[in-house]
Amino acid sequence: MGKAYIVGAGPGDPDLITLKALRCIQKADVILYDRLVNPEILKDAKRDCHLIYCGKRPNHHPIKQDTINHLLVKYSNQGKTVVRLKGGDPFVFGRGAEEVEALVANGIQVEVVPGITAGVAVPAYAGIPITHRELASSFAVVTGHKPKGKPTDVNWKGLATAVDTLAIYMGITNLPFICEELITHGKNESTPVAIIQQGTTNHQRTVTGTLGSIVSVVEKEGIQNPAIIVVGEVVTFRDKISLLEPEGKAESYATMA
């Protein structure tokens, strides 16, 4: 009997993978990896490791989750060391829990290796702290859509006033709806918003605006998935860094990926 590892690869920068995750990759016989896993990480796999791409894009899932579960069970039953490599953390909007359930139901030993999640790391790389003693004492990580892409099932009414900072995953497609819901349920339309595309990578881009203006900013700048949306006063810290730091230093910090 083999063993399966559900592993978080971090948000994009290969240097952000954990040592434990790296060891799992190095000993794996089979790796099933997602679209947002940096290819540089896979170079540490064994030469004869079987790599299986399981990438998904919004509204495009060429490999169904049931098929992925089947492959995890199949290769584990062959006595192989199997790694399911997922962007960010496997238990943060990664279906990692579903895969653990499938493996346990089939009597397979499984271990979860946490990873750095994009909702915290990506804002940090853009010069935005997810919390701040004076600006935000609470935050929530939120999905921008529910199954089948429906944003209406998310409790935007509760989120609008419950926490200081929102880090929203997979929300670009539904951005107009999200902004409208947050304003309708209590957020001021002047609330700062940042959107970071391809965060922590060499292609990172950051745009800022407010709940009332960010939709037009995104359209003008052509921002696309993958991206993290940050809503809250902590977004203003990015500008504060620019004012406090010597010329050039703040910009290099904010784009250091």
Side-chain angles (χ1 to χ4, degrees), residues 74-96:
K74 171 187 171 181
Y75 288 113
S76 297
N77 277 329
Q78 292 177 0
K80 299 183 184 297
T81 297
V82 181
V83 167
R84 177 70 173 105
L85 193 59
K86 311 170 80 67
D89 181 275
F91 277 6
V92 180
F93 306 127
R95 297 194 177 186

Side-chain angles (χ1 to χ4, degrees), residues 5-83:
Y5 295 85
I6 310 299
V7 178
D13 183 343
D15 287 341
L16 291 179
I17 194 168
T18 67
L19 289 174
K20 188 166 187 177
L22 183 59
R23 293 188 186 111
C24 289
I25 291 168
Q26 291 170 336
K27 69 182 180 181
D29 300 309
V30 181
I31 297 176
L32 296 89
Y33 66 100
D34 279 349
R35 178 173 66 99
L36 298 182
V37 171
N38 193 315
E40 290 294 315
I41 293 172
L42 297 174
K43 292 180 179 180
D44 288 297
K46 295 187 298 186
R47 182 173 297 181
D48 60 348
C49 180
H50 183 24
L51 301 177
I52 302 173
Y53 179 65
C54 300
K56 300 173 183 176
R57 300 195 308 271
N59 301 316
H60 182 66
H61 298 178
I63 299 185
K64 302 299 183 183
Q65 187 62 47
D66 287 345
T67 302
I68 295 172
N69 293 349
H70 169 75
L71 292 172
L72 290 170
V73 172
K74 171 187 171 181
Y75 288 113
S76 297
N77 277 329
Q78 292 177 0
K80 299 183 184 297
T81 297
V82 181
V83 167

